[in-house]
Amino acid sequence: VKLLDIFLSSPSDVASERALVVQAASEWNSLRSRASGYFLNVLTWEDVVSPKLSDRPQSVVNEQIGDEYDVYLGLMWSRFGSPTGAADSGTVEEFERALDRYRQGDAIRLAMLFKTAPIPQEQLDGVQFERVKAFKKQFAAEGGFYTEFDNDERLRRVLNGLFENLVESRASDASGEATLGSTRGESIIPNLPAPIDSREDQEDDLGLFEVNERLNQVAAEQGRFFEGLTETSREL
């Protein structure tokens, strides 16, 4: 079984979603690891980073997480984060480090998931939220194709499809088979489905993306299939 390291990066307002990603990966491993030949290892600063004195807290995370992981997975909702001294926020600094690896020809995959659920009034910070929206456009401009979710159920479906695509892509790379490219307007993760709920909005804001409708249908079917397997596993 081959290890696939996924670095999970996000601001503090999506703590429950971070936990759900770790749980979904664990469930995927239980159901699919042996058959696929891959084990998903989610790296989070909570579990990986040890306390250490430094001139910049973010540098401790960078040092201990390292640059050997296979996938950068970012989560954002209402908060953008605070400046680190090297970037506008910790999440952005981690993204930029991963993006530099990608630009240099590294086989790293990058994905962003944006939560679109209503933001509680007491949590809403207009400046922070505007910066999140600006970052979303920046990610698309760099060639990434993000996905949105509005609840935990939708997030689970997105993650199941994402995990399958990651493993399929890595297996194809290892066997030398051709995969979809990562040029501007295409997904950095091959076959990553477009957001179902907001594709029109993205076309208006970000330009048209050439996404094969059949791939979207297959991804949706995969999501429903693995959702059913997860529910059966829970019942058992």
Side-chain angles (χ1 to χ4, degrees), residues 83-142:
T84 65
D88 292 335
S89 76
T91 302
V92 171
E93 182 169 340
E94 291 158 0
F95 164 71
E96 290 177 347
R97 285 169 60 88
L99 182 61
D100 285 342
R101 288 175 55 191
Y102 170 74
R103 287 171 171 168
Q104 293 169 15
D106 197 302
I108 186 174
R109 299 294 196 263
L110 293 87
M112 284 296 304
L113 307 181
F114 290 94
K115 185 175 180 178
T116 58
I119 304 169
Q121 187 66 33
E122 65 275 10
Q123 182 178 321
L124 179 60
D125 182 320
V127 174
Q128 286 277 316
F129 188 50
E130 286 300 318
R131 297 181 76 182
V132 169
K133 292 193 291 185
F135 177 77
K136 185 185 295 187
K137 291 186 178 182
Q138 176 195 348
F139 183 79
E142 292 290 353

Side-chain angles (χ1 to χ4, degrees), residues 8-21 45-46 74-82 89-92 112-133 135 149-150 152 155:
L8 181 56
S9 173
S10 70
S12 59
D13 63 330
V14 285
S16 63
E17 287 77 13
R18 287 174 64 85
L20 195 152
V21 172
W45 68 264
E46 297 97 327
L75 290 173
M76 277 192 177
W77 183 20
S78 64
R79 296 198 61 79
F80 185 74
S82 303
S89 76
T91 302
V92 171
M112 284 296 304
L113 307 181
F114 290 94
K115 185 175 180 178
T116 58
I119 304 169
Q121 187 66 33
E122 65 275 10
Q123 182 178 321
L124 179 60
D125 182 320
V127 174
Q128 286 277 316
F129 188 50
E130 286 300 318
R131 297 181 76 182
V132 169
K133 292 193 291 185
F135 177 77
F149 65 95
D150 56 3
D152 288 353
L155 177 57

Side-chain angles (χ1 to χ4, degrees), residues 135-196:
F135 177 77
K136 185 185 295 187
K137 291 186 178 182
Q138 176 195 348
F139 183 79
E142 292 290 353
F145 201 80
Y146 61 79
T147 298
E148 297 178 338
F149 65 95
D150 56 3
N151 54 51
D152 288 353
E153 185 78 11
R154 168 66 175 156
L155 177 57
R156 282 186 178 278
R157 292 201 300 268
V158 169
L159 288 170
N160 282 328
L162 177 61
F163 293 157
E164 284 296 311
N165 285 324
L166 287 171
V167 169
E168 179 183 351
S169 172
R170 181 49 57 96
S172 296
D173 289 347
S175 65
E177 297 177 3
T179 59
L180 293 180
S182 299
T183 57
R184 188 173 304 278
E186 295 178 351
S187 173
I188 291 179
I189 297 180
N191 303 339
L192 182 63
I196 295 175

